[in-house]
Amino acid sequence: MINIVLIRPLPIITLFLDTLNQSLQTIKPSARLTKIQKAKLAMILMGIFVTETLNWAAFERRSLKQETSSCLSWIFRQAKISWQYLLQASIKNLLIHYEITTGVLVVDDTDKKRTKRTSVIPGIHKIKDKATGGYFNGQQLIFTALVTDIVTIPVGFQFYTPDPALTAWYKERKEQKLAKIPAKQRSPRPQTDHTRYPTKQMLALKMLSEFTQAFPEVKIKSVLADALYGTVEFMDNASALTSGAQVVSQLRCNQRVASKNSTASLKAYFARQAGVKTQLSIRGGEAQTVTLLAARLRVKAHGKRRFVVALKYEGEEDYRYLAASDLSWRYQDIARIYTLRWLIEVFIQDWKAHGGWNKLAKQQGNKGSERGVILGLLCDHILLLHPEQSARLKNKQPGLSVGCLIEHIKSDALIDTIHEVVISDSPQTAFETLKQALQDCLPVRESKKHMVGRDLGRLEPAPSLKYRALEAA
């Protein structure tokens, strides 16, 4: 059934773009979409739902050539659409729809593998492969998501590119270490160009700043991030940007902390005492048995006190160390709210599987990459406004998964196609027209598995070499 679903813009997408247009007018009147732009964007968004790719040729086939790949590509590349405001307007609609006034901002990053030789896709660099321990060429993205008591909304993204000069210096320093060159004689660290190549922490802070400025009516209770963002600059600036929100990150086990007149690593400090087993509610749901320890310690690298919580789940041998900026919270609440960080990882997996950009995402240049991600995030927002999803969430019932909602959209598109054939004045003629259009749009791909029309060569003994067979006997 799924293979014959056609691209037919559904009412949910049309309504989404209409409300998006209304929000665009309040943000910037000149950013409004024209009727043609709305129609083409509806086809592209529906194409992503149906094919789960961002592939113009696939869109053309699934629309039965009612839309051409060149036209859709032109809209994507050349149309005067205020792409930078589309995501902001969509977030605004969701905040109003679900009456959201408070939430938790979560930061995380992800990778996208590319080929070894890639010259037209921006931001390509060598990335550590956590699965194999090796390296691959790819792009890195940083996402922010707003987690509320009703829904989780992706609200921002940035592409990360490391400073080439710094990357070359790291490689040179590694070679110098292997050559046993003394530290004083090694090459000095180059001056980093943060203007052109901001760090991941800077990009995350930029997204936090943009969100708080665009949506001052939303009170941020906390900011959550993993150990990469556990620096004093990120934690202090994130707290300041969100009007003193609790910032929770992680520290390494070898980081030095001070208590009274003694200093020790986090691992050594918490090894002195036995942990307390307790029940921890995971993301407001089922409770799990965990071991907790907590202390307000001065973190040497931060130059100030942090509320450090040592957390170990059942079956784990080592603690993970959470660091909180606000010392007035209870340690149980810090451990509990940090479990929400997992939700952004779920979003990233859903986006990679169904958002289109991660599959056959070969759109070239900065515009191609950025606009492709925006379209994928808009698809996620559309699913949050799906009538069935909205009804469930507003009535405090479990929401449907992304895959389930997309199956519903595909089935709706198929039913809509059949319905048009059935209610037409001449159903038989309409059916034959649809049948012919499907046949005309089916691609022809030649197979190399079959050898018809090819020369297999001589497959028999050569008379001049028969004496060789006698030699074997």
Side-chain angles (χ1 to χ4, degrees):
M1 181 187 73
I2 295 174
N3 291 333
I4 61 172
V5 174
L6 305 180
I7 297 177
R8 304 181 66 84
L10 298 175
I12 182 178
I13 298 180
T14 304
L15 180 61
F16 171 79
L17 291 174
D18 288 340
T19 55
L20 188 71
N21 231 7
Q22 295 173 6
S23 295
L24 283 172
Q25 187 173 8
T26 61
I27 296 172
K28 187 179 180 181
S30 61
R32 281 177 56 87
L33 299 171
T34 65
K35 289 184 179 180
I36 294 178
Q37 290 171 349
K38 283 197 299 181
K40 300 304 180 183
L41 279 180
M43 291 296 296
I44 293 174
L45 291 171
M46 192 62 195
I48 293 175
F49 283 127
V50 170
T51 67
E52 298 184 358
T53 64
L54 192 59
N55 187 324
W56 311 124
F59 293 177
E60 180 178 342
R61 290 194 300 270
R62 290 298 182 92
S63 69
L64 301 182
K65 295 187 177 180
Q66 292 180 8
E67 298 290 343
T68 62
S69 58
S70 59
C71 177
L72 296 177
S73 178
W74 188 92
I75 289 290
F76 181 79
R77 290 279 177 183
Q78 305 296 336
K80 294 181 179 180
I81 298 175
S82 300
W83 293 91
Q84 67 272 26
Y85 295 113
L86 291 183
L87 196 59
Q88 182 180 341
S90 181
I91 295 168
K92 184 177 181 179
N93 288 339
L94 285 169
L95 296 178
I96 295 172
H97 182 78
Y98 287 106
E99 300 178 351
I100 295 171
T101 57
T102 62
V104 174
L105 283 174
V106 190
V107 180
D108 199 11
D109 52 85
T110 187
D111 308 328
K112 167 60 181 174
K113 290 185 178 180
R114 295 296 188 184
T115 58
K116 293 182 179 180
R117 295 182 180 180
T118 305
S119 58
V120 294
I121 297 179
I124 299 294
H125 61 278
K126 187 176 289 187
I127 302 171
K128 180 77 172 181
D129 192 339
K130 298 176 183 177
T132 63
Y135 293 88
F136 63 86
N137 276 350
Q139 292 171 291
Q140 285 188 309
L141 296 96
I142 306 169
F143 285 102
T144 52
L146 179 67
V147 178
T148 71
D149 57 350
I150 300 177
V151 68
T152 299
I153 307 171
V155 295
F157 74 94
Q158 290 286 335
F159 283 90
Y160 167 72
T161 305
D163 189 338
L166 194 60
T167 302
W169 175 75
Y170 280 128
K171 182 178 180 180
E172 183 181 6
R173 187 182 65 168
K174 184 177 180 181
E175 294 173 351
Q176 290 174 341
K177 282 185 177 181
L178 293 175
K180 297 183 179 180
I181 298 176
K184 293 182 178 180
Q185 299 178 14
R186 295 173 194 163
S187 303
R189 183 188 179 99
Q191 188 68 29
T192 306
D193 186 359
H194 290 312
T195 303
R196 295 179 60 193
Y197 303 102
T199 64
K200 289 184 178 180
Q201 294 84 357
M202 291 178 177
L203 293 173
L205 290 172
K206 178 183 178 182
M207 286 188 285
L208 294 180
S209 176
E210 290 175 348
F211 181 85
T212 53
Q213 290 178 13
F215 309 102
E217 68 276 12
V218 180
K219 180 174 177 56
I220 303 302
K221 296 286 188 178
S222 180
V223 177
L224 310 177
D226 60 16
L228 179 66
Y229 304 89
T231 63
V232 62
E233 293 84 5
F234 177 81
M235 294 186 68
D236 288 350
N237 289 324
S239 180
L241 289 171
T242 53
S243 303
Q246 173 71 288
V247 182
V248 186
S249 184
Q250 286 186 242
L251 299 177
R252 301 186 308 275
C253 64
N254 61 350
Q255 287 193 253
R256 307 291 294 181
V257 293
S259 176
K260 296 182 180 179
N261 296 323
S262 63
T263 62
S265 66
L266 279 171
K267 185 174 183 179
Y269 178 85
F270 284 103
R272 299 171 184 171
Q273 46 194 314
V276 178
K277 287 194 174 183
T278 185
Q279 295 293 310
L280 179 66
S281 176
I282 306 299
R283 292 175 289 282
E286 185 177 335
Q288 291 187 16
T289 301
V290 299
T291 304
L292 287 176
L293 286 169
R296 294 174 177 85
L297 304 171
R298 183 176 181 82
V299 181
K300 185 178 180 181
H302 291 201
K304 59 177 60 181
R305 285 163 65 84
R306 301 292 191 197
F307 201 159
V308 182
V309 179
L311 170 65
K312 180 169 60 176
Y313 289 93
E314 195 172 24
E316 293 182 342
E317 296 183 359
D318 299 322
Y319 285 104
R320 64 192 70 189
Y321 303 97
L322 312 181
S325 60
D326 191 339
L327 305 182
S328 64
W329 280 40
R330 300 186 307 170
Y331 70 90
Q332 302 98 320
D333 297 330
I334 295 172
R336 183 172 180 175
I337 199 172
Y338 195 71
T339 62
L340 299 178
R341 202 193 70 80
W342 178 78
L343 295 175
I344 194 171
E345 296 184 5
V346 177
F347 151 70
I348 290 174
Q349 292 303 317
D350 286 339
W351 173 76
K352 283 186 173 182
H354 305 287
W357 185 88
N358 200 63
K359 295 182 179 180
L360 296 177
K362 299 176 181 177
Q363 309 303 325
Q364 300 177 2
N366 291 315
K367 292 181 180 179
S369 290
E370 292 176 1
R371 294 175 182 180
V373 175
I374 290 173
L375 290 172
L377 297 183
L378 290 179
C379 287
D380 192 275
H381 290 183
I382 292 173
L383 296 179
L384 294 176
L385 294 172
H386 190 281
E388 188 170 354
Q389 183 78 308
S390 177
R392 283 172 169 267
L393 295 175
K394 285 190 173 183
N395 288 283
K396 308 298 182 182
Q397 296 179 359
L400 299 175
S401 67
V402 169
C404 179
L405 287 169
I406 289 179
E407 289 298 325
H408 284 209
I409 289 177
K410 290 180 179 180
S411 64
D412 290 341
L414 178 60
I415 291 171
D416 189 39
T417 302
I418 297 173
H419 180 259
E420 283 199 7
V421 173
V422 172
I423 67 171
S424 65
D425 295 335
S426 177
Q428 182 63 33
T429 303
F431 172 76
E432 292 297 333
T433 302
L434 176 62
K435 178 181 175 181
Q436 187 61 44
L438 284 170
Q439 292 175 346
D440 293 342
C441 290
L442 290 176
V444 177
R445 302 185 182 96
E446 295 182 353
S447 172
K448 295 182 180 180
K449 179 175 67 175
H450 309 293
M451 297 300 294
V452 62
R454 297 191 178 194
D455 184 7
L456 297 182
R458 183 171 180 170
L459 304 178
E460 59 184 20
S464 61
L465 298 176
K466 286 184 177 180
Y467 70 94
R468 292 295 186 181
L470 298 175
E471 291 177 1

